[in-house]
Amino acid sequence: MNILDILEKKKNGINLNKEEIEFFIKGYTDGTIADYQAAALIMAICINGMNEEEILNLTVAMTNSGDKIDFSDIADNIVDKHSTGGVGDKVTIILAPIISALGVPVAKMSGRGLGITGGTADKLASIPGYDLEISIEEFKKNVKEIGISLITQSLNLAPADKKIYALRDSISCTNSIPLISSSIMSKKIASGANAIVLDVTCGNGAFAKNVIEARELANLMKKIGNLAGKPTVCVLTSMEEPLGRFVGNILEIKESVEFLKGNFEEDVKEVVLEIGSRMLALAGFSNDFDYNKDKMLEVINNGKALEKFIQLVERQKGDLSYIYNLDKFEKAKYVLPIYSDKDGYVSKLDALTIGKVSVGLGAGRIKKEDSIDYTVGLELCKKVSDKVSNGEIIAKIYAKSEEDAVKFSSQVFSAFEISKDVVNYKSPIIEII
Ligand code: URA
């Protein structure tokens, strides 16, 4: 078997068998298959797709490409969550300490930004000192002792996904159902969770552009999870507009801390409570979702969730003085307000445009080796359904220079549509699968 024959097959739309998929994953992980050959195969998969059997084989091969964590010695039931990615998605940073504060351990491995969607790992890395690359022993020790650990994909878990994930980002192959589902599920299975809740985002700021695609992705991942013996629930959420008020790494860390202090944005609150209530149910906390939501609000209101976040940051060597005093975070060099030119109600706030602007400003990567500017991003002063007056600020661009801010100003302005008619708030929760 050789990689050229495999490439030839997929290029011509012929299905790959288990051995061929294993050959590719093994070869790319150990470096005998080059980046350019892998890029060609990934592009062929992206264009020609994969059938269900190929996707299952790809997921298993990626899971087996590295270590698997076994938590059975420290906890009976670890529930994991993952998002298919969104603009302004800070749900993990808020949710993990809430769930942990309720006595349910959280052990989560998060990715770096992919395409226009931000990555939880990049956001946590913007807290000075926060160590995302701890050993497997430390990861387990933190979960055992304080009930929480959030790391990135530094452990040897699904290393094939780590390489393919970075490659996909730099060859415009992020939006492929076979590649997204195998990427997410290989990581989740390798990282030892007993059950999984998936936030399947849907809309123009997500990989799944409509509900039909989101359902297809959700059903596939649910099937893979169940076949691996890990009950999986999918929450479909809207990504037509960014989640919350801020997009950008430091900006979203600050917004997350504010949330844990009880300063909620309604859309973020709905997504956090819905996903969290399902995680708690799968962990055996209670099957009553409303009760779970009340309990989550309780640990926010009594400060226990924020305390847990502080414990997490401290344990992973982050500088707590930044969390106690959010003003201490480095600020963007230049802030440019964008004004409305009419009275009315925001009827659209295009997540795709905002995601592209945030990457353009430097909050995400264009090439996999690019470094990130943690300070830059956007503040969305008005969101869909908000009333707005002519001359009022609708957004602020946080940029590294005046030139950069001006370069993106018309794009940010055009991301907003304002109508004369009242626009009602719409819940971001679409359905549960
Ligand atoms: N999250 C992942 O881990 N992988 C993807 O492909 C998309 C989102």
Side-chain angles (χ1 to χ4, degrees):
M1 197 180 300
N2 70 62
I3 185 65
L4 294 181
D5 292 340
I6 296 174
L7 274 168
E8 188 65 21
K9 267 181 99 174
K10 203 65 212 171
K11 185 178 80 181
N12 293 319
I14 301 168
N15 297 337
L16 302 179
N17 63 36
K18 185 164 178 274
E19 289 70 35
E20 288 162 336
I21 289 173
E22 282 171 359
F23 178 88
F24 163 62
I25 292 299
K26 188 170 174 304
Y28 189 43
T29 311
D30 68 22
T32 50
I33 291 175
D35 262 346
Y36 54 84
Q37 293 170 316
L41 186 60
I42 294 297
M43 181 61 82
I45 292 173
C46 203
I47 293 169
N48 291 327
M50 275 184 146
N51 69 15
E52 224 170 82
E53 192 183 336
E54 288 178 289
I55 298 170
L56 288 177
N57 287 332
L58 181 62
T59 309
V60 173
M62 279 165 55
T63 307
N64 292 338
S65 67
D67 300 333
K68 286 181 212 123
I69 304 191
D70 180 5
F71 282 110
S72 57
D73 52 333
I74 60 168
D76 294 337
N77 205 353
I78 300 260
V79 181
D80 205 347
K81 74 99 22 196
H82 204 88
S83 161
T84 56
V87 181
D89 177 359
K90 66 273 299 169
V91 173
T92 294
I93 299 161
I94 296 169
L95 187 52
I98 297 176
I99 298 295
S100 174
L102 287 167
V104 171
V106 178
K108 175 144 172 57
M109 193 169 78
S110 291
R112 308 243 175 221
L114 186 65
I116 58 151
T117 66
T120 299
D122 292 326
K123 291 167 202 178
L124 287 170
S126 72
I127 303 172
Y130 189 101
D131 188 0
L132 284 146
E133 307 207 347
I134 57 181
S135 68
I136 208 160
E137 290 75 28
E138 265 181 285
F139 182 50
K140 283 179 73 171
K141 185 167 175 266
N142 290 354
V143 177
K144 184 171 179 188
E145 292 179 2
I146 64 166
I148 187 167
S149 190
L150 298 183
I151 59 165
T152 190
Q153 228 173 324
S154 55
L155 304 177
N156 191 33
L157 301 181
D161 172 61
K162 189 177 179 186
K163 287 187 84 173
I164 294 174
Y165 192 84
L167 191 62
R168 282 168 57 206
D169 198 19
S170 51
I171 59 168
S172 191
C173 283
T174 51
N175 58 341
S176 147
I177 287 184
L179 296 175
I180 297 172
S181 52
S182 56
S183 162
I184 292 181
M185 295 311 286
S186 61
K187 279 193 291 255
K188 296 297 100 180
I189 297 168
S191 52
N194 304 88
I196 302 161
V197 180
L198 298 170
D199 179 0
V200 182
T201 50
C202 169
N204 73 349
F207 298 125
K209 298 291 176 212
N210 53 50
V211 179
I212 297 173
E213 277 178 31
R215 281 195 194 118
E216 189 189 339
L217 183 58
N219 283 318
L220 190 58
M221 291 195 289
K222 196 174 166 95
K223 187 163 182 181
I224 299 172
N226 292 339
L227 279 172
K230 303 189 184 287
T232 301
V233 171
C234 297
V235 180
L236 269 58
T237 62
S238 172
M239 190 38 73
E240 290 298 346
E241 70 172 332
L243 194 67
R245 292 272 168 194
F246 291 90
V247 178
N249 297 288
I250 286 177
L251 296 171
E252 288 185 56
I253 287 289
K254 289 182 175 181
E255 187 178 15
S256 302
V257 173
E258 285 300 336
F259 188 106
L260 292 170
K261 288 181 181 167
N263 302 321
F264 307 134
E265 280 304 322
E266 190 55 29
D267 58 345
V268 184
K269 178 180 164 192
E270 282 201 65
V271 175
V272 164
L273 292 184
E274 196 59 53
I275 294 174
S277 69
R278 309 274 158 177
M279 288 174 78
L280 289 169
L282 285 171
F285 187 80
S286 158
N287 282 330
D288 181 340
F289 302 130
D290 288 336
Y291 172 80
N292 291 349
K293 289 178 188 173
D294 286 345
K295 286 288 171 191
M296 291 172 74
L297 290 171
E298 199 176 292
V299 289
I300 297 168
N301 294 331
N302 65 20
K304 291 205 164 125
L306 181 60
E307 228 171 81
K308 188 54 78 180
F309 181 71
I310 288 171
Q311 236 181 338
L312 163 75
V313 174
E314 185 174 33
R315 190 51 90 92
Q316 296 204 206
K317 306 184 191 73
D319 184 340
L320 282 183
S321 63
Y322 288 82
I323 307 301
Y324 291 131
N325 174 14
L326 296 175
D327 266 346
K328 197 172 164 188
F329 274 101
E330 193 186 341
K331 297 187 181 58
K333 302 262 173 329
Y334 193 83
V335 182
L336 179 70
I338 305 293
Y339 300 94
S340 172
D341 65 350
K342 51 172 96 67
D343 295 329
Y345 296 84
V346 179
S347 55
K348 186 171 174 186
L349 171 48
D350 190 84
L352 180 61
T353 305
I354 297 296
K356 283 183 180 166
V357 169
S358 93
V359 173
L361 287 166
R365 295 178 188 79
I366 294 173
K367 291 196 299 306
K368 67 179 180 178
E369 11 337 273
D370 288 350
S371 59
I372 278 191
D373 184 337
Y374 293 126
T375 64
V376 300
L378 292 124
E379 179 176 349
L380 306 166
C381 307
K382 297 288 173 185
K383 295 214 38 198
V384 171
S385 83
D386 286 346
K387 191 169 192 281
V388 56
S389 311
N390 190 356
E392 209 180 346
I393 297 176
I394 48 175
K396 288 182 190 164
I397 301 177
Y398 292 72
K400 61 175 182 296
S401 65
E402 179 175 0
E403 191 193 349
D404 244 28
V406 170
K407 185 162 107 193
F408 291 106
S409 58
S410 59
Q411 251 175 291
V412 174
F413 180 79
S414 72
F416 285 84
E417 278 178 18
I418 293 167
S419 85
K420 281 206 179 69
D421 303 326
V422 173
V423 178
N424 293 322
Y425 170 80
K426 209 164 139 205
S427 167
I429 310 297
I430 300 171
E431 67 187 49
I432 316 291
I433 291 183

